[in-house]
Structures are given as structure tokens and as C-alpha cells.
Amino acid sequence: MKQVTDCSGVPLPVFAQGKVSFCKIVEGAKPVGSVYLLKLQVNAEDSTNSAADSLPVAGQFYLLRAKKSGVLLGRPISVYAAERTADSAELSFLILKKGTGTQELCALRVDDGVDLIGPLGNCFPAPADDDKVCIVGGGIGIAPVAGFANTLPAKSYDFYACFKSGCYGLDYVQPAHLTVTTDDGSVGVHGMLNVALTADTLKKNGYTVVYACGPTPMLSYVQKICKEAGVRSYLSMENRMACGVGACLGCTIATTEGNKRCCKDGPVFDGAILDFTPPKFKPLRGEVVSTNSDSNLPDLRVDVAGVHFANPVIAASGTFGYGSEYASIFDVNKLGGICSKGLTLQPRPGNTGTRLVETPSGLINSIGLENPGIAHFIQYELPAMLALKPVTIANLSGSSLETYVEGAKLLDETAVPMIELNISCPNVKAGGMSFGMDCTSAANVTKAVRAVTKKPLMVKLTPNAPDLIGIAMAVREAGADAISLVNTFQAMAIDLHTGRPVFDNVRAGFSGPAIKPIALRMVYDVVQAMNRLPEKERIPVVGLGGIATWQDAVEFLLAGAAAIQVGTATFANPFAMTEIVDGITVWMKQKGFKTISEFRGKAQGA
């Protein structure tokens, strides 16, 4: 089939499937292993509209997504080089290993499959015959401008390459003059772009046009000096993308001509129209500590309702047994706390039928609070839990107000440091979530349990309630010392073989990464409502729901959570919680925070 182009001859995007022909670390990039060169072979018979014939024009990009991928969206990656062979095309990309999507691309091996959409976007306009050309690349932004440089006659341009450390991506560059700058002075001139290129430099060297790609602050600077020097500029921008073809409007950027789609109207724009208004908020920073000694490690200790935790990471109820189950896999003593399996006054056999259904981004469970009963727990499981370093939290559930009360009485006579009152389990026909769906019933069970125990009482709320904030305030007024949220969302699955619901109870509880953004919003909302109260009337909120990484955990802490709980993530990665502890530590050190209280709730504007 013939190549598909627009009226200007620019290739239009197609869907293609490529195979990896090369994927290696790029030498010269620092830190070592931070940048990879990925080469993909696209055969004509493996693509729609003959993608092998649609070689990109300098400045265009592709959406790339590994066939074996855990991400939803392709990642926009600029073309570094492209070459046509007899029946295929080889596309080369420089990839900065950053998030999950790029990490997957950098981990590819020869013959692994990659889905591509492209070539996408516009291209760098060719300079006039009498133009004096200046090309600027910053960091991974070196790729598209280096590809553009390769289309120009050798020594017809000057090239400025700027990096934090090291130097790479100059294989196809043949400038009249090459200037390299590095923030750390490891290569070339010590400093950022402004030590080598200024408005005066543009005038002195007689440049008439500047082409640039790099981080936004660098592009803003290029725009500024070009305006001062009266020089045209073409800047390649980036933004988060979904469709890549101009349909979703998710990647718009501000210009003097209104919003422009980065994927369709760009990524290359006339620099004069771009709006580089500074971000509304500055990067989060504490008091940066320069030393690497252990004595200056951040203090991760937190208090929840007067109970002291070594760190804010707590194993969520129902996912960690009683603590000892995972002891042979990792050191559970590194956790801040452990919530027991949901406990009821009498033993429960749990639900019949199928209990688990995996989804692409979560888990539906219908366990039904199977447990040995509180008396058995007190005699057998509790001593072993108390022998561990993490704070033991007894998760108390019930089928009636009376069973909640009697269970609380038994737990009150033990050494358990805290009770988590579970009024949010969706997997039982009586009790559980039914107590947490309205303010009156939630307050009644909280008040009744509060009357029979002096233990710190944390009430676990359901996200399925129509008035979550109202219920949070009701249990606070009824005597709760803390709140934990969210429990699982109601969900279901249908068996395609029988045509009937998979679970005997029809509905079950949905957890996992898919619920994290919604859970985060709910925690944020409840904390925000608490903050409107006088300080002495507030109670802490422990956040949970889809937390799988340290980044997730930090988001919940920034939203105002006093601590966090991790559940389903442990099934996918048994080391998730210890990795979260380590990740929070590293992040705090990088940001200069000595204690969690220094940044907790910062997203609230506090």
C-alpha cells in the first residue's frame, strides 16, 4: 500500500507492530543506565497502511507501548533516527528511564513486540538558504533536534547540547561548532545553557533561527533570549498524552493563539506564541541535609490517636493474616503496624463459592470474614502478633450491635494497643457495611463500642456510603479516635460460561491499583472537612485503597493522611510495604524533610 500523507506530504499516523532489534544502555549518559537506545524493526506486512513506508519527518514522534505491558497508554517518544530497508523500516529512539512505561521499554529484549502509533505531530520547518542556524538540545530533548540536524548539510549549523551530567545523543550531529554544557562540569562548559548561549551570543554569531527541544525551563529561556535578539525560534514541546492524534484534547498547551494540541498542532511550535507562565506552585522542599550519615536519616515515626508507630506503613486487615504468615518472606518487623484479619465474636466459615476474581488492575474478593472468632484470636493469634515489633491492631467486625459490643469487651481486656472498628465490609449479608452506610447506624455502633472499651478506636469506613463526610463526622462525634478509609468498593463479575454472577453473594469487594485515585480523593475530602474544625476536635485519618508504591503512599500523606495501610499490593509484590518504607525515606531525604509532619497535608494548602 502507498504511504499515507497529508497535503504537505507529511506522513500521517498509522498503527503498527514493531519488533525490537536493539535495546542497550546509552554510553555517556549519567547516571549510568538512565538512558537507553531502542531500535524497532517495522515490516510492511505487520502494519496497517504500510507503516514501514511511512518514515517520520524530523521532529515527529510515536506512541510506544510494550506488548508485555502493565500500563494503559503508549508513551510519546521522539524519533532519533529512521532508516528504510527493502521491506521494512528501522526506527531509533532515545528513552529516558523514568516512569513505569519507559522502564518497560528500556527492559525490552531483541524480538520483543512493541505497539506503535505514528508518526505523530508536525515537524521542524526547514531553514532558508540564507539562515544562520542554531540548534539547542537539553537532556533527552537532544533526540529530536539531533535527528533534525542529521537532515541538514554538515557544518551548516551550530549545536548546543546541555545536560545535568555526562553527554550523549550526538552520533548524527555534524555542526560547524559544538558546545556542550553540564550542570556538574563533567563534560564541556560548567553550567547551564545560559553560560554558553545568551541574547548577545545570538546577535554576535549572527543566528537568524533557533531550533530547540528540552526541559520547559530551558525552552522558556530560549524563547526569552530569542525575543531579546529578534531571532525566530521553533521549540519542540511535550505534554502528557492519551490518543496522540488530536482527538482527546488531553495534551493542550497554552499559547497566545489559544490552546494548541501538542500532539497534532505540535510538538513543534513557533516559539513566539508559547505561553511559559511559571507554574502556580513551587517544588516541595524541606531543609535539605547535605550529609549522608545515618544520624541524619529522616524520622518516619507517626502517632495515631496516641499510639506510636515506627513508620506510617500498616498492613491492611484481611490481606496479611496475623503477621506471621509473611515472616518467612520478608522482615515484617520493618512495618509500622499490622491489622489483624477481620474478627467476629463467633467463628465464621466465610462465604461459599468463588472467592476471588482478578481484574486487569485489581482484585474482587468475597471472603466473607472467615476467622476463628475473637476468643480463639486472643488465646492463640494475639500473643504472636504482640511479640512482633509492629503495632498490633485488632480489626473488629460483627453481625449485630450486640456482637460488636461483646467483641469489644473481650478485646478491651487484652494488651492489644488499638481496635479498628470495621463497619465497612461489603462481603457479609448481616452487619459489616450495613452499619457504615448512614450516619445514624455508624454513630450508634461507634458509640456502643466506645462505651465498653478504653482502647484507641479507629473506625474503618466504606467508600460506598452516599455521605462519606457526614458519616466520618458522625463517628467522630460518637467517640472515634481515628478513621481509616477506604475499604473496598462494591463490584461484581459474571461467568460467561453459565451467564450467572460469579459470586454467591452477587456483589463483592473491589480493591487494588484501580481504586487508588478515588480513595485518595476521598481521604483528601475527609481530611479537608476535619481541618475546618477547631484543632482539638479533629481526629486523624489513616488512608488506604490501591496503595502499591512509595509514590502512592506519599500522595496519601500529602493529602493529609496520618498513616497509610497497604493491602492488595502485597499479593502482587510481597516486598511492597518494605519498599514503600524505603522509598518514603529516600524521598524525604531528597526533599530535605526530617519528619513526616513537615509535609503531611501539604496538598491541602496547609
Side-chain angles (χ1 to χ4, degrees):
M1 299 178 68
K2 293 183 178 180
Q3 175 177 321
V4 182
T5 65
D6 64 13
C7 296
S8 303
V10 176
L12 291 175
V14 297
F15 175 78
Q17 296 179 345
K19 286 188 177 181
V20 176
S21 59
F22 183 92
C23 187
K24 298 289 184 182
I25 292 172
V26 173
E27 294 185 5
K30 294 183 180 179
V32 175
S34 59
V35 178
Y36 279 68
L37 173 61
L38 174 66
K39 294 184 179 182
L40 301 178
Q41 203 78 22
V42 183
N43 296 319
E45 62 269 22
D46 295 333
S47 60
T48 305
N49 290 331
S50 193
D53 290 333
S54 302
L55 286 182
V57 179
Q60 291 188 298
F61 66 96
Y62 284 78
L63 290 180
L64 304 182
R65 181 178 178 273
K67 278 284 189 183
K68 302 174 183 178
S69 178
V71 300
L72 175 67
L73 304 175
R75 296 312 193 245
I77 309 292
S78 296
V79 176
Y80 181 46
E83 182 179 357
R84 183 181 290 113
T85 59
D87 59 352
S88 65
E90 184 175 71
L91 307 176
S92 297
F93 305 90
L94 292 180
I95 301 178
L96 175 66
K97 188 165 70 171
K98 190 175 182 180
T100 303
T102 53
Q103 288 173 0
E104 289 179 352
L105 293 172
C106 292
L108 292 170
R109 298 182 178 182
V110 172
D111 289 335
D112 280 348
V114 177
D115 289 336
L116 306 88
I117 296 180
L120 300 168
N122 61 9
C123 55
F124 290 107
D129 291 340
D130 58 350
D131 271 329
K132 181 68 179 297
V133 176
C134 173
I135 301 177
V136 182
I140 200 65
I142 204 81
V145 289
F148 173 63
N150 192 38
T151 68
L152 303 179
K155 301 188 182 302
S156 66
Y157 55 90
D158 291 346
F159 200 101
Y160 292 80
C162 311
F163 305 94
K164 288 184 177 181
S165 182
C167 178
Y168 61 90
L170 302 177
D171 300 332
Y172 305 109
V173 174
Q174 302 180 62
H177 299 285
L178 172 64
T179 303
V180 177
T181 72
T182 50
D183 291 2
D184 63 359
S186 56
V187 180
V189 182
H190 190 176
M192 296 187 288
L193 178 62
N194 60 1
V195 302
L197 187 65
T198 64
D200 288 340
T201 309
L202 293 174
K203 295 176 183 176
K204 180 180 177 181
N205 292 348
Y207 297 128
T208 58
V209 61
V210 175
Y211 301 88
C213 183
T216 300
M218 187 200 85
L219 295 180
S220 177
Y221 173 74
V222 170
Q223 181 199 56
K224 174 178 175 291
I225 62 174
C226 285
K227 182 178 180 180
E228 292 175 4
V231 175
R232 304 189 325 274
S233 66
Y234 295 98
L235 310 181
S236 181
M237 303 290 289
E238 67 174 2
N239 205 347
R240 296 180 180 180
M241 295 183 184
C243 71
V245 297
C248 73
L249 304 180
C251 66
T252 58
I253 61 174
T255 78
T256 58
E257 300 175 355
N259 286 344
K260 297 284 187 180
R261 298 166 297 179
C262 195
C263 68
K264 189 73 171 179
D265 303 313
V268 180
F269 294 91
D270 181 341
I273 72 168
L274 294 173
D275 181 359
F276 287 109
T277 300
K280 183 178 180 181
F281 298 106
K282 294 181 179 180
L284 193 65
R285 292 287 179 187
E287 183 182 343
V288 178
V289 180
S290 59
T291 179
N292 291 321
S293 66
D294 290 342
S295 62
N296 285 284
L297 286 175
D299 183 355
L300 267 63
R301 291 177 295 179
V302 297
D303 285 357
V304 179
V307 179
H308 307 297
F309 294 78
N311 63 66
V313 180
I314 303 168
S317 174
T319 65
F320 209 67
Y322 303 99
S324 60
E325 288 84 347
Y326 276 95
S328 64
I329 297 177
F330 72 92
D331 185 1
V332 299
N333 286 316
K334 292 184 177 180
L335 305 180
I338 298 173
C339 291
S340 75
K341 191 76 177 71
L343 303 167
T344 53
L345 184 61
Q346 301 297 329
R348 285 183 60 95
N351 291 335
T352 59
T354 299
R355 290 188 172 192
L356 296 174
V357 169
E358 182 183 2
T359 75
S361 53
L363 184 69
I364 311 176
N365 90 83
S366 182
I367 308 301
L369 290 176
E370 178 175 343
N371 75 98
I374 291 176
H376 188 284
F377 167 77
I378 291 173
Q379 183 175 357
Y380 297 103
E381 286 83 16
L382 180 57
M385 288 190 74
L386 292 173
L388 300 172
K389 290 182 180 179
V391 173
T392 295
I393 302 171
N395 183 277
L396 170 63
S397 191
S399 56
S400 65
L401 188 63
E402 291 73 21
T403 57
Y404 272 112
V405 169
E406 293 305 313
K409 288 179 180 178
L410 293 177
L411 290 172
D412 188 64
E413 297 175 358
T414 71
V416 70
M418 176 179 275
I419 296 173
E420 182 177 53
L421 181 61
N422 185 352
I423 57 172
S424 53
C425 179
N427 296 321
V428 290
K429 292 181 178 179
M433 190 176 72
S434 63
F435 282 100
M437 291 296 287
D438 69 79
C439 297
T440 301
S441 60
N444 286 343
V445 67
T446 302
K447 185 175 181 179
V449 170
R450 174 77 290 164
V452 297
T453 179
K454 294 183 175 61
K455 302 286 186 185
L457 186 63
M458 177 164 63
V459 181
K460 190 171 187 177
L461 303 185
T462 173
N464 303 294
D467 181 13
L468 181 61
I469 292 175
I471 292 171
M473 292 302 168
V475 300
R476 178 192 64 83
E477 293 171 4
D481 299 302
I483 290 170
S484 59
L485 70 138
V486 301
N487 206 327
T488 55
F489 288 77
Q490 276 205 320
M492 69 176 296
I494 294 177
D495 187 326
L496 299 185
H497 179 65
T498 64
R500 304 293 298 172
V502 170
F503 300 111
D504 285 357
N505 282 357
V506 181
R507 296 167 184 82
F510 182 51
S511 61
I515 75 168
K516 177 246 171 176
I518 310 173
L520 179 64
R521 189 266 300 169
M522 291 179 165
V523 168
Y524 181 94
D525 288 349
V526 172
V527 171
Q528 188 177 62
M530 286 292 173
N531 288 344
R532 296 191 186 104
L533 300 174
E535 188 170 356
K536 65 180 181 179
E537 296 180 18
R538 303 171 191 170
I539 59 175
V541 176
V542 174
L544 65 151
I547 297 174
T549 67
W550 70 262
Q551 293 94 332
D552 297 336
V554 170
E555 283 191 70
F556 275 81
L557 295 170
L558 287 168
I564 59 99
Q565 293 184 15
V566 178
T568 304
T570 302
F571 303 149
N573 174 17
F575 303 103
M577 284 187 283
T578 55
E579 289 175 359
I580 289 171
V581 173
D582 293 340
I584 294 173
T585 302
V586 172
W587 181 83
M588 287 177 64
K589 194 169 184 180
Q590 290 174 342
K591 291 291 186 179
F593 292 114
K594 298 176 182 177
T595 65
I596 286 176
S597 62
E598 290 179 9
F599 67 87
R600 180 189 290 118
K602 285 294 184 181
Q604 299 278 354

